Amino acid sequence: MHTHSELVFFHAPHSRSGITRALLAELDVPFDLVAVDLETGEQRQQDYMAINPMGKVPAIRHAGALVTEQPAILMYLADAFAEKGLAPAPADPLRGPYLRWMVFYGSCFEPALMDRSLGREPGLQRASGYGDYDSVMRTLAAQLQRGPWLLGERFTAADVLWGGALQWGLQCRLVPDWALFRDYADRVAARPAIRRAAQADAELAAAQAAQRRRQARAA
């Protein structure tokens, strides 16, 4: 793999890693894109498994550091390019709430959605790391009522994460169809940088589909 930027982004279109692509658009920093085709199973091939043994996207390599897990990637990038203003500084009173909501995504929201998606009953609330689905949704909704952004008036990388997460959850009918969730997801998606990222992702998906068709004809 030949790269020219110190930041390399491993990405598959129409996947959760679109959120990382959206953040990169907001940061407006150069990066090399390594596209992974999930339809052909590239994420399970040896080259990519060496990047992420879980066979998942996204992943980044930056200045020699390899980072996986989407919230970790977003926090890393927002701090690495702190001059862009998408993460509260360590001494900022918003830093704690920002970290809380970045971690809440993986520790509470995703497990709750997966249980709902698979039709699994959660364990006893006192033994469940996220409590229960309804509590997760109510807690998130209460925070969003402070709007227009997750932390109030300031837009941060946390909004890129949660805007994308709620958009996906609404499309898959895994989160309640509440106006609060819809309006917030739409507000994030309407940002010019995020719209550009979505368009680039659609173009990448189309190019991958065309490549698969060419390979099928040649087989």
Side-chain angles (χ1 to χ4, degrees), residues 13-33:
H14 295 170
S15 74
R16 284 177 175 83
S17 67
I19 292 174
T20 294
R21 184 163 204 168
L23 180 68
L24 287 168
E26 286 282 351
L27 291 170
D28 191 24
V29 294
F31 62 92
D32 286 330
L33 174 66

Side-chain angles (χ1 to χ4, degrees), residues 136 155 194 201:
V136 169
F155 180 86
I194 293 180
D201 225 33

Side-chain angles (χ1 to χ4, degrees), residues 118-217:
L118 298 174
R120 297 184 305 213
E121 290 295 327
L124 293 174
Q125 189 173 28
R126 66 175 180 273
S128 172
Y130 70 85
D132 62 72
Y133 175 90
D134 290 337
S135 294
V136 169
M137 298 304 149
R138 287 195 302 267
T139 300
L140 177 58
Q143 182 67 21
L144 289 176
Q145 286 175 348
R146 303 182 183 192
W149 306 116
L150 187 71
L151 300 181
E153 294 298 322
R154 181 172 176 183
F155 180 86
T156 69
D159 293 296
V160 181
L161 174 64
W162 282 103
L166 284 173
Q167 184 179 60
W168 175 80
L170 288 163
Q171 289 171 348
C172 297
R173 299 183 180 180
L174 292 176
V175 300
D177 188 20
W178 295 341
L180 181 68
F181 286 171
R182 292 195 309 272
D183 292 347
Y184 172 76
D186 289 345
R187 200 154 50 244
V188 174
R191 290 177 64 85
I194 293 180
R195 291 174 63 184
R196 290 195 300 272
Q199 179 60 36
D201 225 33
E203 292 170 0
L204 175 58
Q208 286 186 336
Q211 176 66 14
R212 291 194 297 270
R213 290 193 295 270
R214 287 192 294 269
Q215 290 174 340
R217 287 196 298 267

Side-chain angles (χ1 to χ4, degrees), residues 6-74:
E6 69 172 2
L7 174 58
V8 182
F9 173 38
F10 301 87
H11 166 65
H14 295 170
S15 74
R16 284 177 175 83
S17 67
I19 292 174
T20 294
R21 184 163 204 168
L23 180 68
L24 287 168
E26 286 282 351
L27 291 170
D28 191 24
V29 294
F31 62 92
D32 286 330
L33 174 66
V34 178
V36 180
D37 191 336
L38 301 182
E39 295 294 325
T40 62
E42 287 182 352
Q43 74 276 19
R44 296 293 177 182
Q45 293 179 7
Q46 184 175 358
D47 285 351
Y48 188 71
M49 294 290 280
I51 300 297
N52 186 354
M54 295 293 290
K56 302 288 186 181
V57 289
I60 63 167
R61 182 184 286 125
H62 179 248
L66 179 63
V67 188
T68 67
E69 308 310 314
Q70 184 135 261
I73 291 171
L74 300 190

